[in-house]
Structures are given as structure tokens and as C-alpha cells.
């Protein structure tokens, strides 16, 4: 007779503090423990890991696979003793490595399902992996490989940039497991490090100062486009610059966000319309891409200009003095809108819909135009009125 129970212990932890997950196996009157290679932040309910456990779904899938493999071994070797069956169980949990699909190829295959800027991010990850280890495949990558990759990247990258590449690799492994391409999950024993990102938003007083500041003439278009992005609830710069005249109809801007593929519909308030009219384009809704074909080039100029607002420019010299907001960039418009919306007690679900985020407490992401458009429109008007209020 055989029996399998899942076992964790407060006294048995991995280097990150997680409780190791074991199988307590009873077989023909004797018992032994078998390590699964998994860890957890708390007790398990069946094979379900706690909600705060990182990669909980992938861990559950892996534990289910292990249980199935071990059950098969015990049934096939019902007459062996516990001592005889133990090495067979361990071999079933950790089978000999086999050659799998190249990791770079898997990343590229996964990226092909994405769109917009996301594709480029995964291609960058594939490039980094190739530079580090061209031979890496879905079966050979383990926690040690990930640690070495992290150390290599950290020599030339910031912590959060390295974390982006590691999260991309993790997403590829989750996909590969779902697709039946591998059973290997190296992130079960590896934690992705990250550093806290500085808050990237302006207070209402700072936003008013930026809006009204007598900046250099060449900086004004960049400052005004920043304000337009804010008035349009933090619209992404790439999406804004690629809007056509057909995108504006019935007093609303309608577009599909390149990053997520979601449909947006934003009411154009008078403050936003005034800026649109001032920078009206010929081919595009706005003029920047009529002059600069690549939006990334224009965005680079924009961010450089925003960072230097407040400095004095003299002919033939570098700008002098202090900048108003040295870290300011186009992306701050989105954070600022969300921050100010929260400051005036806008319901969190309305903010989430306006920014295209998941609704707090739900596992699905809703497209906010299927929400109540009037609520989102009213929230944006209230935020703009808050800024205009003296």
C-alpha cells in the first residue's frame, strides 16, 4: 500500500526564507520524504499555493506534475520496499536533463504573439541571453544559470532593467509549460530582485508651475504636449503622436493602445482641444511627426527639453542654473493624472478604468469604454478643474 502527503515545515526553509515543500511517502509499511524543489510562503491547500506566493500558478502546475509522476512510480513498483522505491521517486521528480528548445528561439516564438513595443523588449531579452549563453535551452536553464545571467547583466545595467529581462524569461517559461514544451521551471528557486522606483508624479502646485512657466521658446511645444497628455488622462506619447485626424470624432479621441491592443475613447476637454488646434498636423492629428518621422527621436528631444525647463540658455554655452524638475519625462503625465485623481477622492475603480488597469480585486482587465464612460469623463473633468483651481 502507498500513500502520498504534501509536507512543509517551519524549520526547513530555502535561502530566501520560503518553506520547502516535500512529499511524505508511505510505501509498504515504511515512510520517507522526497524533496520537490519547490518552496512556499505559507501552508498549502491541496496543491494550491498561498495568494501572496510568487509564481503560485506555475508552482501548482509543477507540483501536480510531480504528484502524477510519483504516483506512477509507486503503482508500477508496488512490490518494492520503501528503500528500493525511494531512488526511483527521486529520479521521477528530477529526471536527467534532456536537450530542449533553445531559450532564444522560445523567447522569439513567444514575442511573435505580442504587439507594439513589447515585441522589441522581448527581442532585447533574446539578444542578452544569446550574448550570455547561446547554447541555453528550456531544459538546461536552472536557478544557478539565472543567478549567473543576473550577475552578468548587473555589470552594465540597473537592477530594474535586469529585472525586466528576468521577468520576460519567466513569462516564456510559464508559456512553455502551458504549451507542453517543457516541465522545467527554474524560477521555483530563484527570486527576481528589484529596487523601488522613485515616484514619478507632480503635485498639483508643481503641475500648475510647469503649465504656466515662461520656458524657452523651443521648450514650449514639448511642455504643451506634456500637458495635452495629462488632459487626455496620461495617454502614451507614441499613441498620441500616431493619432490621425480620423481619430478625433464626435468630440472624442478613439484609438487602440499599441502596448496592450485595448480600445480607448477619451472625451476631449476644451483645454486639450486648444492644444490640439495649436499644434494641428497635416498627415497626423498633431504636427511633430510631420517634421520628425521617427516618434522615438521626437520623444527623446521632448524628454531632454522637459528635464531642462528652468535653466537659462545663452548662445554658445551650456544651459545654466537649476531645472524645475530634473527627472521629468513624458511618462510623468500618466502618473500625475492618477495621483491627482486619487487626491480628489476619485473612486479607485474609475481611476483603474481610466488608466486601463485591472480593477482592484478582480483577476480580469476591463476595457474602460465598456465601463460607464460618463464616470470616466466626469473624473477627468474633475481632475482638470482641480488643476485650474487657484
Amino acid at each position: 500500500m502507498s500513500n502520498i502527503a504534501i509536507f512543509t515545515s517551519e524549520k526547513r526553509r530555502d535561502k530566501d526564507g520560503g518553506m520547502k515543500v516535500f512529499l511524505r511517502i508511505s510505501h509498504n509499511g515504511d515512510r520517507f520524504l522526497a524533496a520537490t524543489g519547490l518552496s512556499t510562503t505559507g501552508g498549502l491547500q491541496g496543491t494550491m499555493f498561498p495568494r501572496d506566493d510568487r509564481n503560485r500558478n506555475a508552482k501548482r502546475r509543477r507540483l501536480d506534475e510531480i504528484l502524477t509522476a510519483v504516483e506512477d512510480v509507486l503503482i508500477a513498483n508496488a512490490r518494492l520496499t520503501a528503500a528500493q522505491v525511494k531512488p526511483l521517486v527521486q529520479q521521477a521528480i528530477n529526471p536527467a536533463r534532456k536537450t530542449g528548445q533553445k531559450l532564444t528561439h522560445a523567447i522569439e516564438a513567444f514575442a511573435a504573439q505580442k504587439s507594439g513595443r513589447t515585441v522589441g523588449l522581448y527581442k532585447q531579452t533574446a539578444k542578452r541571453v544569446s550574448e550570455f549563453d547561446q547554447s541555453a535551452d528550456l531544459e538546461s536553464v536552472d536557478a544557478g544559470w539565472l543567478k549567473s545571467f543576473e550577475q552578468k547583466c548587473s555589470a552594465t545595467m540597473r537592477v530594474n532593467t535586469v529585472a525586466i529581462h528576468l521577468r520576460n524569461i519567466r513569462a516564456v517559461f510559464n508559456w512553455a509549460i502551458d504549451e507542453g514544451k517543457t516541465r522545467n521551471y527554474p524560477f521555483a528557486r530563484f527570486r527576481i530582485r528589484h529596487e523601488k522606483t522613485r515616484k514619478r508624479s507632480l503635485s498639483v502646485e508643481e503641475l500648475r508651475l510647469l503649465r504656466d512657466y515662461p520656458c524657452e521658446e523651443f521648450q514650449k511645444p514639448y511642455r504643451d504636449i506634456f500637458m495635452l497628455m495629462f488632459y487626455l488622462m496620461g495617454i502614451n506619447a507614441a499613441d498620441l503622436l500616431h493619432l490621425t485626424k480620423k481619430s478625433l470624432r464626435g468630440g472624442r479621441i478613439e484609438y487602440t493602445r499599441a502596448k496592450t491592443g485595448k480600445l480607448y475613447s477619451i472625451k476631449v476637454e476644451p483645454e486639450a482641444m486648444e492644444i490640439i488646434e495649436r499644434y494641428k498636423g497635416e498627415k497626423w492629428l498633431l504636427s511633430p511627426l510631420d517634421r520628425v518621422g521617427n516618434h522615438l527621436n521626437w520623444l527623446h528631444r521632448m524628454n531632454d527639453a522637459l528635464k531642462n525647463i528652468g535653466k537659462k540658455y545663452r548662445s554658445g554655452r551650456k544651459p545654466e542654473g537649476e531645472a524645475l524638475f530634473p527627472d521629468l519625462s513624458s511618462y510623468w503625465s500618466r502618473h500625475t493624472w492618477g495621483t491627482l485623481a486619487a487626491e480628489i477622492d476619485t473612486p479607485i475603480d474609475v481611476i483603474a478604468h481610466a488608466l486601463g488597469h485591472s480593477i482592484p480585486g478582480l483577476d480580469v482587465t476591463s476595457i474602460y469604454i465598456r465601463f460607464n464612460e460618463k464616470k470616466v469623463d466626469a473624473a477627468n473633468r474633475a481632475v482638470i478643474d482641480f488643476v485650474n483651481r487657484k
Side-chain angles (χ1 to χ4, degrees), residues 262-370:
K262 295 177 186 176
L263 180 64
Y264 283 71
S265 178
I266 303 174
K267 182 180 179 183
V268 181
E269 298 295 337
E271 292 83 353
M273 186 61 74
E274 189 277 328
I275 297 175
I276 291 173
E277 291 292 337
R278 197 187 323 158
Y279 297 101
K280 186 180 297 185
E282 296 178 5
K283 179 181 177 181
W284 308 96
L285 179 64
L286 299 173
S287 60
L289 293 193
D290 288 336
R291 303 188 307 274
V292 181
N294 188 319
H295 79 275
L296 293 176
N297 290 340
W298 194 87
L299 185 58
H300 176 76
R301 298 178 190 180
M302 177 184 186
N303 288 334
D304 186 64
L306 292 174
K307 287 178 172 62
N308 287 292
I309 290 178
K311 292 184 178 181
K312 299 302 180 183
Y313 284 75
R314 297 183 182 181
S315 179
R317 299 184 182 181
K318 291 184 178 180
E320 301 173 350
E322 294 185 4
L324 290 181
F325 311 109
D327 298 319
L328 186 62
S329 70
S330 62
Y331 200 69
W332 283 50
S333 64
R334 186 172 178 83
H335 284 257
T336 299
W337 192 93
T339 299
L340 298 188
E343 190 170 334
I344 59 174
D345 297 324
T346 305
I348 190 65
D349 59 331
V350 176
I351 296 176
H353 276 288
L355 297 177
H357 293 166
S358 299
I359 304 173
L362 299 182
D363 293 330
V364 296
T365 301
S366 301
I367 301 174
Y368 83 75
I369 62 169
R370 293 181 182 172

Side-chain angles (χ1 to χ4, degrees), residues 13 83 121 163 168 185 238 255 271 282 288 290 334 349 378 380 387:
R13 295 183 177 272
L121 292 175
N168 286 348
Y185 189 69
Y255 71 100
E271 292 83 353
E282 296 178 5
D290 288 336
R334 186 172 178 83
D349 59 331
N380 192 32
V387 176

Side-chain angles (χ1 to χ4, degrees), residues 221-264:
Y222 301 112
R223 185 269 312 276
D224 294 343
I225 296 297
F226 178 92
M227 291 303 304
L228 175 59
M229 294 170 65
F230 173 81
Y231 293 143
L232 297 177
M233 296 185 293
I235 185 173
N236 181 273
D239 292 324
L240 176 64
L241 295 177
H242 284 103
L243 293 177
T244 65
K245 294 179 180 180
K246 293 182 179 180
S247 302
L248 177 59
R249 52 181 178 269
R252 306 187 74 87
I253 283 178
E254 297 183 348
Y255 71 100
T256 300
R257 190 178 181 195
K259 182 178 180 180
T260 62
K262 295 177 186 176
L263 180 64
Y264 283 71

Side-chain angles (χ1 to χ4, degrees), residues 37-198:
L38 301 171
S39 62
T40 178
T41 58
L44 277 64
Q45 294 184 351
T47 60
M48 297 296 293
F49 286 73
R51 281 192 169 274
D52 64 345
D53 210 323
R54 299 188 179 200
N55 314 315
R56 60 192 296 265
N57 291 328
K59 287 182 177 182
R60 175 187 56 78
R61 290 193 296 268
R62 175 61 181 145
L63 185 54
D64 285 337
E65 290 174 353
I66 289 173
L67 287 170
T68 299
V70 171
E71 286 173 356
D72 290 344
V73 169
L74 296 178
I75 292 172
N77 299 279
R79 297 183 178 182
L80 297 184
T81 65
Q84 291 171 325
V85 84
K86 182 175 180 179
L88 300 178
V89 167
Q90 293 172 334
Q91 184 178 5
I93 295 175
N94 296 298
R97 292 289 188 188
K98 60 182 179 179
T99 301
Q101 182 181 17
K102 284 283 188 71
L103 178 56
T104 52
H105 294 169
I107 295 172
E108 290 166 357
F110 183 70
Q113 304 176 28
K114 303 297 180 179
S115 61
R117 183 169 175 265
T118 304
V119 176
L121 292 175
Y122 277 94
K123 286 185 176 180
Q124 283 295 316
T125 298
K127 179 182 178 182
R128 295 294 179 182
V129 169
S130 179
E131 292 172 347
F132 174 68
D133 182 5
Q134 290 184 342
S135 65
D137 59 57
L138 293 177
E139 303 303 326
S140 65
V141 173
D142 56 17
W145 187 97
L146 293 172
K147 185 65 177 177
S148 297
F149 176 77
E150 179 187 49
Q151 291 173 343
K152 175 69 174 180
C153 292
S154 296
T156 56
M157 301 179 206
R158 298 180 63 177
V159 172
N160 286 348
T161 304
V162 177
I164 290 173
H165 292 305
L166 288 168
R167 286 198 298 270
N168 286 348
I169 295 173
R170 184 176 64 191
V172 169
F173 269 96
N174 287 331
W175 166 76
I177 290 172
D178 287 340
E179 294 293 315
K181 297 178 182 296
T182 185
R183 291 185 176 184
N184 180 34
Y185 189 69
F187 288 89
R189 292 186 173 185
F190 181 84
R191 176 170 294 180
I192 299 174
R193 295 189 305 122
H194 69 279
E195 60 187 7
K196 290 185 177 180
T197 304
R198 288 184 57 189

